[in-house]
Amino acid sequence: MSIDERLTAAGLPTLPRGVWLEIDEAALANNLRVVRELVGTGVAINAVVKADAYGHGLVPVARVFEAAGADRLCVASLDEALLLRGAGVQSPILILFPVPPAEVARAAQARFEIVAAAESSTLASLAAWTAAQQTDGELKVHLEIETGLSRGGLKPSEAARLARRIVDTPRTSLASLWSHLASPESESATAAQVEQLEAATAEIGRAGLSVPARHMAATGGLFTGRAPLYEGVRPGLALYGLLPDDLPIADQAIDAAKRLVPAMSIRCRALRVERLSAGTSVGYGGRWTAARESVIATLPIGYGDGFVRAYSPGAEALVCGQRVPLVGTVAMDAVMADVTDVPGVGSDDEFVLIGEQNGARIVTNELARGRTTIPWEVVTNMAYRIPRVYHAGSVLLGLRTLNGEARINDVGLVD
């Protein structure tokens, strides 16, 4: 059954374009359960959904993780957090990068938790919160410790002083100490960062303050087993079913790593399938010329969609369960595939750029290797304008396009 037939049968709108991402919500829920089993019940899972949930779709993915038992959701900015609240997401939400002081009261009122990453900005935020006497709520602050990433946070020797200012501010609590690993694949670098967080913890204790919960391990620290779980972890990439190629997996995490299921696939139909004579050049700059009579399919995805120019030459697509090379220069809205060796390909056939088809598979890490980058960038680069089709197995659940989101519930279509 074609994607159009599946959408129509589900009562969902048709696609505005011939390219779409399929997001498997069952895979997302599975991955969170895998992480839960890995860390146990006493460790909070702070699920990272920033950057449009790594390209998978912020609101739909947050709803899945909330329903699957995430203890907290992590975003990068206030507007991401506001979007989730506006969509009805009720979970605690941690904003991982500092909120402007003028917005702190608004954040607290919406039950967002904020980060203290520098003394000056934190003191300004506390002052703004103190001045907002008519604003209800409690301000929960996660104190970031600089341990080696050199991106943000207080030095361990400075932590107790700012922690004291936080807890002495009315209607304010110190929710956690936290840090982020720079090189989780490195045992020595990770150990040095852990030592720094432990030093900050000791300083807090010596100052007579209660030591709050701590969280340090994201996907890398969790699956290498080299960072303590503490009271919480912040998995991101693993929740989307992906791990980086160079990550050394700890023995106790091997089974969990095998059970992760990639949630995103990229699929499309050809705009045109044309037979070209030998010697015909294809695409901008004539970078590829047909060495024989060739059949070329034009696919409706390009660098404007996050499918970048660096993918060609070298990248491939699946059609009819067979790999075919992408040829020519990736344009803003199109790329070409050489389907000469797959007889009978037509405009109704489905191409797969990431995902599985008839037992063949193209994985995200393959594209990452092809452009010398990381899987985070590949999926996060997927442009908002590409429609997202949400499903659980063969059951369609919703569609997101530039014009909005449509969802299926137990009763029917919900706009």
Side-chain angles (χ1 to χ4, degrees):
M1 186 181 293
S2 71
I3 184 62
D4 297 316
E5 292 168 330
R6 292 166 61 203
L7 289 167
T8 299
L12 288 164
T14 56
L15 291 172
R17 297 179 64 190
V19 59
W20 66 98
L21 303 184
E22 292 197 3
I23 309 298
D24 188 345
E25 295 189 7
L28 293 169
N30 166 80
N31 298 335
L32 194 136
R33 287 193 298 269
V34 168
V35 171
R36 169 59 69 201
E37 292 174 16
L38 184 60
V39 303
T41 57
V43 176
I45 295 178
N46 306 308
V48 182
V49 295
K50 63 181 180 176
D52 199 31
Y54 291 32
H56 293 67
L58 177 60
V59 171
V61 171
R63 288 172 176 156
V64 172
F65 290 157
E66 182 176 53
D71 298 282
R72 182 180 284 105
L73 302 172
C74 298
V75 298
S77 62
L78 177 62
D79 52 351
E80 289 179 327
L82 289 168
L83 182 60
L84 290 180
R85 279 287 183 265
V89 173
Q90 296 301 310
S91 295
I93 297 174
L94 169 59
I95 303 172
L96 291 169
F97 288 82
V99 171
E103 298 286 0
V104 166
R106 184 184 186 191
Q109 198 163 25
R111 295 182 292 109
F112 302 147
E113 302 171 14
I114 70 168
V115 157
E119 184 170 14
S120 59
S121 61
T122 300
L123 293 178
S125 293
L126 294 175
W129 174 235
T130 301
Q133 296 182 8
Q134 305 304 314
T135 302
D136 295 331
E138 177 188 21
L139 181 64
K140 295 185 177 182
V141 182
H142 293 247
L143 179 56
E144 184 176 5
I145 306 301
E146 170 55 64
T147 62
L149 183 61
S150 301
R151 186 174 70 183
L154 278 291
K155 296 177 181 177
S157 60
E158 302 169 338
R161 183 175 69 249
L162 191 59
R164 172 64 68 185
R165 295 292 297 269
I166 291 168
V167 300
D168 284 349
T169 301
R171 302 176 296 144
T172 306
S173 63
L174 181 61
S176 83
L177 299 180
W178 73 284
S179 194
H180 193 60
L181 298 177
S183 304
E185 69 281 359
S186 168
E187 186 171 4
S188 59
T190 298
Q193 287 195 255
V194 171
E195 183 179 351
Q196 290 297 299
L197 187 60
E198 292 288 348
T201 301
E203 288 292 324
I204 296 287
R206 278 193 289 271
L209 299 171
S210 297
V211 175
R214 292 167 293 175
H215 48 96
M216 188 176 206
T219 290
L222 178 57
F223 279 83
T224 63
R226 290 174 175 168
L229 298 180
Y230 291 122
E231 293 75 35
V233 293
R234 294 189 316 278
L237 192 68
L239 295 182
Y240 304 97
L242 303 171
L243 293 173
D245 283 336
D246 60 352
L247 193 69
I249 308 299
D251 290 344
Q252 67 269 23
I254 289 175
D255 179 65
K258 291 178 179 177
R259 291 166 53 208
L260 296 176
V261 179
M264 177 190 289
S265 63
I266 307 174
R267 300 173 184 272
C268 64
R269 291 184 302 244
L271 296 170
R272 185 185 82 157
V273 181
E274 188 77 7
R275 186 171 294 277
L276 305 178
S277 59
T280 303
S281 60
V282 171
Y284 287 118
R287 294 171 59 197
W288 186 87
T289 299
R292 56 176 177 170
E293 184 179 67
S294 302
V295 180
I296 303 298
T298 303
L299 309 184
I301 184 171
Y303 63 78
D305 301 296
F307 200 83
V308 299
R309 285 166 57 97
Y311 286 144
S312 183
E316 296 177 311
L318 299 173
V319 64
C320 302
Q322 298 184 51
R323 284 181 174 251
V324 295
L326 302 183
V327 297
T329 303
V330 178
M332 185 179 293
D333 309 292
V335 66
M336 276 64 82
D338 182 356
V339 298
T340 309
D341 295 328
V342 187
V345 173
S347 57
D348 291 332
D349 287 301
E350 189 174 289
F351 287 75
V352 176
L353 298 168
I354 291 178
E356 187 173 350
Q357 186 184 66
N358 298 346
R361 179 185 292 272
I362 294 175
V363 298
T364 301
N365 288 33
E366 181 178 333
L367 288 182
R369 289 190 296 271
R371 58 184 273 206
T372 322
T373 188
I374 54 177
W376 290 265
E377 188 175 14
V378 172
V379 292
T380 303
N381 269 6
M382 292 295 102
Y384 197 92
R385 73 173 184 169
I386 304 181
R388 269 75 166 165
V389 176
Y390 294 91
H391 65 97
S394 62
V395 179
L396 293 190
L397 300 172
L399 173 68
R400 191 191 83 177
T401 70
L402 286 176
N403 292 315
E405 180 187 359
R407 293 286 298 184
I408 299 292
N409 63 13
D410 293 336
V411 177
L413 184 65
V414 179
D415 291 328

